[in-house]
Amino acid sequence: MRIGLLTGGGDCPGLNAAIRAVVKQGLGEYGHTIIGFRNGWKGVVDGDVVPMSRENIRNVLPQGGTMLGTARYHPHSSDGGMDAVMATLEAERIEALICIGGDGTLNAASKVAEHGIKIVAIPKTIDNDVAGTDLSIGFHTAVNIATEAIDRIHTTAESHNRVMVVEVMGRHAGWIAVNAGIAGGAELVLAPEEPFDMDRIVKFLKHRHRAHANFSIVVVAEGALPREGSSMQYEAQLGQFGEIIAGAIGERVANEIATRTGFDTRLTILGHVQRGGTPTPTDRILGSRFGVAAVDAVTHGETNVMTALRNEEVVLVPLSEIAGKVKHVPADLLRVARVLA
């Protein structure tokens, strides 16, 4: 078979492990031809292809990012985008597509599947908000990075008697904030799932600093918002393409805390640091398992599905069940973050 391969949306550690697995399993086990598309769906539209070989994937396992490049582009949202996708796939004689991406890329994949193209998707996102899977490629590394940053911030916060606000990624779901907050011993975690009350935050910090501590760590997800009707009025700050502006909510929270408490308060925005660097063994293994499973699925005629991790087992989930859905942090994990404050 001639199988197309792309990575779309934001980059993350572990993508090259998945690419490597697709190529090795496709070529070595089944004798397929793997055609890579550069820069996600944009590469499919533009016909920007690269035949994948064993030489392409040598020594890529420990590398972050994606060797195929990526872009935030959805063909179904662009004039002529779907027609261009179909024309490229026909010209390249592509029989099936393996798409590695987050919610946007996988939603686009479901739209392409509606046009009769055989699709197998692989979930990746540091936000871990793809529905249908316990874990997405990139999340484990991002949590490790964020936790290490919080550990480092603890020492400087305590040395200077400061409140340190740490903003992490997570627009629709607070998986990084909650997990890194718990692992890093943060006093407060603000996540999109639970709108916060600044009055309660201020009361808590004042009590903590009077009673038994001279510093505090507040972790805030970029998509966190204050509760409607509370004393802090705020709307999410969006960029040109609808993305949340990094640092906007973190800066506002830090300013509110400093103004209302008088405590020396500083902001650290982790931003794209969470996306970069060497993938953890967990992400390398997960990417490898998903890549092998995706090729197996295509070969056996199981398409229009997504690989997913459920209870340590890799399974196939229909794209129609997960497209456009968000996996939120469960209430019990949010409760743990609150209890350990």
Side-chain angles (χ1 to χ4, degrees), residues 128-147:
N128 200 41
D129 60 356
V130 173
T133 182
D134 294 343
L135 202 60
S136 295
I137 298 171
F139 171 66
H140 190 265
T141 303
V143 170
N144 276 18
I145 292 169
T147 301

PDB file of all heavy atoms in Angstrom, residues 128-147:
ATOM      1  N   ASN A 128      -3.266  16.988  26.617  1.00  0.00           N
ATOM      2  CA  ASN A 128      -3.892  15.709  26.991  1.00  0.00           C
ATOM      3  C   ASN A 128      -5.412  15.772  26.959  1.00  0.00           C
ATOM      4  O   ASN A 128      -6.089  15.047  27.699  1.00  0.00           O
ATOM      5  CB  ASN A 128      -3.432  15.266  28.390  1.00  0.00           C
ATOM      6  CG  ASN A 128      -3.633  13.772  28.618  1.00  0.00           C
ATOM      7  OD1 ASN A 128      -3.384  12.958  27.731  1.00  0.00           O
ATOM      8  ND2 ASN A 128      -4.070  13.406  29.807  1.00  0.00           N
ATOM      9  N   ASP A 129      -5.962  16.618  26.077  1.00  0.00           N
ATOM     10  CA  ASP A 129      -7.411  16.815  26.070  1.00  0.00           C
ATOM     11  C   ASP A 129      -8.122  16.129  24.911  1.00  0.00           C
ATOM     12  O   ASP A 129      -9.287  16.426  24.643  1.00  0.00           O
ATOM     13  CB  ASP A 129      -7.745  18.310  26.082  1.00  0.00           C
ATOM     14  CG  ASP A 129      -7.189  19.058  24.863  1.00  0.00           C
ATOM     15  OD1 ASP A 129      -6.484  18.440  24.034  1.00  0.00           O
ATOM     16  OD2 ASP A 129      -7.449  20.270  24.758  1.00  0.00           O
ATOM     17  N   VAL A 130      -7.437  15.220  24.195  1.00  0.00           N
ATOM     18  CA  VAL A 130      -8.095  14.461  23.136  1.00  0.00           C
ATOM     19  C   VAL A 130      -9.007  13.417  23.777  1.00  0.00           C
ATOM     20  O   VAL A 130      -8.565  12.619  24.611  1.00  0.00           O
ATOM     21  CB  VAL A 130      -7.079  13.777  22.208  1.00  0.00           C
ATOM     22  CG1 VAL A 130      -7.787  12.853  21.213  1.00  0.00           C
ATOM     23  CG2 VAL A 130      -6.264  14.819  21.456  1.00  0.00           C
ATOM     24  N   ALA A 131     -10.266  13.411  23.396  1.00  0.00           N
ATOM     25  CA  ALA A 131     -11.223  12.460  23.959  1.00  0.00           C
ATOM     26  C   ALA A 131     -10.904  11.044  23.485  1.00  0.00           C
ATOM     27  O   ALA A 131     -10.328  10.839  22.417  1.00  0.00           O
ATOM     28  CB  ALA A 131     -12.640  12.842  23.544  1.00  0.00           C
ATOM     29  N   GLY A 132     -11.267  10.074  24.312  1.00  0.00           N
ATOM     30  CA  GLY A 132     -11.161   8.685  23.904  1.00  0.00           C
ATOM     31  C   GLY A 132      -9.889   7.970  24.279  1.00  0.00           C
ATOM     32  O   GLY A 132      -9.800   6.749  24.135  1.00  0.00           O
ATOM     33  N   THR A 133      -8.882   8.685  24.752  1.00  0.00           N
ATOM     34  CA  THR A 133      -7.618   8.058  25.126  1.00  0.00           C
ATOM     35  C   THR A 133      -7.176   8.527  26.507  1.00  0.00           C
ATOM     36  O   THR A 133      -7.376   9.697  26.868  1.00  0.00           O
ATOM     37  CB  THR A 133      -6.516   8.362  24.088  1.00  0.00           C
ATOM     38  OG1 THR A 133      -5.302   7.696  24.455  1.00  0.00           O
ATOM     39  CG2 THR A 133      -6.256   9.852  23.957  1.00  0.00           C
ATOM     40  N   ASP A 134      -6.597   7.618  27.276  1.00  0.00           N
ATOM     41  CA  ASP A 134      -6.106   7.986  28.608  1.00  0.00           C
ATOM     42  C   ASP A 134      -4.919   8.929  28.522  1.00  0.00           C
ATOM     43  O   ASP A 134      -4.704   9.746  29.423  1.00  0.00           O
ATOM     44  CB  ASP A 134      -5.687   6.732  29.387  1.00  0.00           C
ATOM     45  CG  ASP A 134      -6.848   5.813  29.704  1.00  0.00           C
ATOM     46  OD1 ASP A 134      -8.007   6.278  29.607  1.00  0.00           O
ATOM     47  OD2 ASP A 134      -6.605   4.647  30.057  1.00  0.00           O
ATOM     48  N   LEU A 135      -4.138   8.802  27.461  1.00  0.00           N
ATOM     49  CA  LEU A 135      -2.892   9.564  27.342  1.00  0.00           C
ATOM     50  C   LEU A 135      -2.635   9.913  25.895  1.00  0.00           C
ATOM     51  O   LEU A 135      -2.889   9.106  24.992  1.00  0.00           O
ATOM     52  CB  LEU A 135      -1.732   8.725  27.892  1.00  0.00           C
ATOM     53  CG  LEU A 135      -0.452   9.435  28.345  1.00  0.00           C
ATOM     54  CD1 LEU A 135      -0.745  10.415  29.474  1.00  0.00           C
ATOM     55  CD2 LEU A 135       0.580   8.410  28.790  1.00  0.00           C
ATOM     56  N   SER A 136      -2.151  11.126  25.650  1.00  0.00           N
ATOM     57  CA  SER A 136      -1.754  11.561  24.312  1.00  0.00           C
ATOM     58  C   SER A 136      -0.244  11.792  24.288  1.00  0.00           C
ATOM     59  O   SER A 136       0.354  12.139  25.309  1.00  0.00           O
ATOM     60  CB  SER A 136      -2.475  12.861  23.923  1.00  0.00           C
ATOM     61  OG  SER A 136      -3.871  12.652  23.816  1.00  0.00           O
ATOM     62  N   ILE A 137       0.350  11.605  23.119  1.00  0.00           N
ATOM     63  CA  ILE A 137       1.787  11.837  22.968  1.00  0.00           C
ATOM     64  C   ILE A 137       2.119  13.273  23.357  1.00  0.00           C
ATOM     65  O   ILE A 137       1.443  14.207  22.945  1.00  0.00           O
ATOM     66  CB  ILE A 137       2.224  11.577  21.508  1.00  0.00           C
ATOM     67  CG1 ILE A 137       1.968  10.118  21.123  1.00  0.00           C
ATOM     68  CG2 ILE A 137       3.697  11.916  21.309  1.00  0.00           C
ATOM     69  CD1 ILE A 137       2.161   9.854  19.633  1.00  0.00           C
ATOM     70  N   GLY A 138       3.165  13.456  24.150  1.00  0.00           N
ATOM     71  CA  GLY A 138       3.642  14.786  24.515  1.00  0.00           C
ATOM     72  C   GLY A 138       3.273  15.232  25.907  1.00  0.00           C
ATOM     73  O   GLY A 138       3.972  16.051  26.511  1.00  0.00           O
ATOM     74  N   PHE A 139       2.182  14.697  26.445  1.00  0.00           N
ATOM     75  CA  PHE A 139       1.705  15.153  27.752  1.00  0.00           C
ATOM     76  C   PHE A 139       2.686  14.825  28.875  1.00  0.00           C
ATOM     77  O   PHE A 139       2.992  15.670  29.715  1.00  0.00           O
ATOM     78  CB  PHE A 139       0.337  14.533  28.044  1.00  0.00           C
ATOM     79  CG  PHE A 139      -0.155  14.760  29.440  1.00  0.00           C
ATOM     80  CD1 PHE A 139      -0.461  16.045  29.872  1.00  0.00           C
ATOM     81  CD2 PHE A 139      -0.313  13.715  30.328  1.00  0.00           C
ATOM     82  CE1 PHE A 139      -0.919  16.274  31.164  1.00  0.00           C
ATOM     83  CE2 PHE A 139      -0.771  13.920  31.614  1.00  0.00           C
ATOM     84  CZ  PHE A 139      -1.070  15.204  32.033  1.00  0.00           C
ATOM     85  N   HIS A 140       3.194  13.608  28.875  1.00  0.00           N
ATOM     86  CA  HIS A 140       4.076  13.179  29.957  1.00  0.00           C
ATOM     87  C   HIS A 140       5.317  14.059  30.042  1.00  0.00           C
ATOM     88  O   HIS A 140       5.733  14.477  31.124  1.00  0.00           O
ATOM     89  CB  HIS A 140       4.462  11.714  29.765  1.00  0.00           C
ATOM     90  CG  HIS A 140       5.168  11.115  30.932  1.00  0.00           C
ATOM     91  ND1 HIS A 140       6.549  11.051  31.015  1.00  0.00           N
ATOM     92  CD2 HIS A 140       4.696  10.558  32.086  1.00  0.00           C
ATOM     93  CE1 HIS A 140       6.886  10.476  32.160  1.00  0.00           C
ATOM     94  NE2 HIS A 140       5.796  10.168  32.823  1.00  0.00           N
ATOM     95  N   THR A 141       5.919  14.365  28.890  1.00  0.00           N
ATOM     96  CA  THR A 141       7.112  15.217  28.872  1.00  0.00           C
ATOM     97  C   THR A 141       6.774  16.618  29.361  1.00  0.00           C
ATOM     98  O   THR A 141       7.530  17.212  30.146  1.00  0.00           O
ATOM     99  CB  THR A 141       7.704  15.292  27.455  1.00  0.00           C
ATOM    100  OG1 THR A 141       7.998  13.969  26.998  1.00  0.00           O
ATOM    101  CG2 THR A 141       8.983  16.114  27.444  1.00  0.00           C
ATOM    102  N   ALA A 142       5.644  17.166  28.915  1.00  0.00           N
ATOM    103  CA  ALA A 142       5.252  18.520  29.317  1.00  0.00           C
ATOM    104  C   ALA A 142       5.048  18.614  30.821  1.00  0.00           C
ATOM    105  O   ALA A 142       5.459  19.595  31.454  1.00  0.00           O
ATOM    106  CB  ALA A 142       3.979  18.934  28.578  1.00  0.00           C
ATOM    107  N   VAL A 143       4.426  17.592  31.423  1.00  0.00           N
ATOM    108  CA  VAL A 143       4.224  17.593  32.878  1.00  0.00           C
ATOM    109  C   VAL A 143       5.562  17.521  33.598  1.00  0.00           C
ATOM    110  O   VAL A 143       5.768  18.192  34.620  1.00  0.00           O
ATOM    111  CB  VAL A 143       3.312  16.425  33.301  1.00  0.00           C
ATOM    112  CG1 VAL A 143       3.297  16.272  34.823  1.00  0.00           C
ATOM    113  CG2 VAL A 143       1.895  16.664  32.808  1.00  0.00           C
ATOM    114  N   ASN A 144       6.489  16.721  33.082  1.00  0.00           N
ATOM    115  CA  ASN A 144       7.822  16.650  33.688  1.00  0.00           C
ATOM    116  C   ASN A 144       8.519  18.000  33.658  1.00  0.00           C
ATOM    117  O   ASN A 144       9.132  18.428  34.641  1.00  0.00           O
ATOM    118  CB  ASN A 144       8.678  15.614  32.956  1.00  0.00           C
ATOM    119  CG  ASN A 144       8.453  14.203  33.462  1.00  0.00           C
ATOM    120  OD1 ASN A 144       7.457  13.918  34.116  1.00  0.00           O
ATOM    121  ND2 ASN A 144       9.366  13.312  33.155  1.00  0.00           N
ATOM    122  N   ILE A 145       8.428  18.677  32.516  1.00  0.00           N
ATOM    123  CA  ILE A 145       9.062  19.992  32.370  1.00  0.00           C
ATOM    124  C   ILE A 145       8.442  20.991  33.343  1.00  0.00           C
ATOM    125  O   ILE A 145       9.142  21.744  34.032  1.00  0.00           O
ATOM    126  CB  ILE A 145       8.934  20.488  30.923  1.00  0.00           C
ATOM    127  CG1 ILE A 145       9.783  19.621  29.980  1.00  0.00           C
ATOM    128  CG2 ILE A 145       9.345  21.960  30.797  1.00  0.00           C
ATOM    129  CD1 ILE A 145       9.511  19.859  28.513  1.00  0.00           C
ATOM    130  N   ALA A 146       7.110  21.010  33.396  1.00  0.00           N
ATOM    131  CA  ALA A 146       6.415  21.952  34.272  1.00  0.00           C
ATOM    132  C   ALA A 146       6.707  21.659  35.738  1.00  0.00           C
ATOM    133  O   ALA A 146       6.905  22.579  36.546  1.00  0.00           O
ATOM    134  CB  ALA A 146       4.909  21.902  34.010  1.00  0.00           C
ATOM    135  N   THR A 147       6.752  20.384  36.101  1.00  0.00           N
ATOM    136  CA  THR A 147       7.039  20.017  37.487  1.00  0.00           C
ATOM    137  C   THR A 147       8.446  20.437  37.888  1.00  0.00           C
ATOM    138  O   THR A 147       8.659  20.970  38.986  1.00  0.00           O
ATOM    139  CB  THR A 147       6.873  18.498  37.681  1.00  0.00           C
ATOM    140  OG1 THR A 147       5.536  18.116  37.347  1.00  0.00           O
ATOM    141  CG2 THR A 147       7.171  18.100  39.128  1.00  0.00           C
TER     142      THR A 147
END
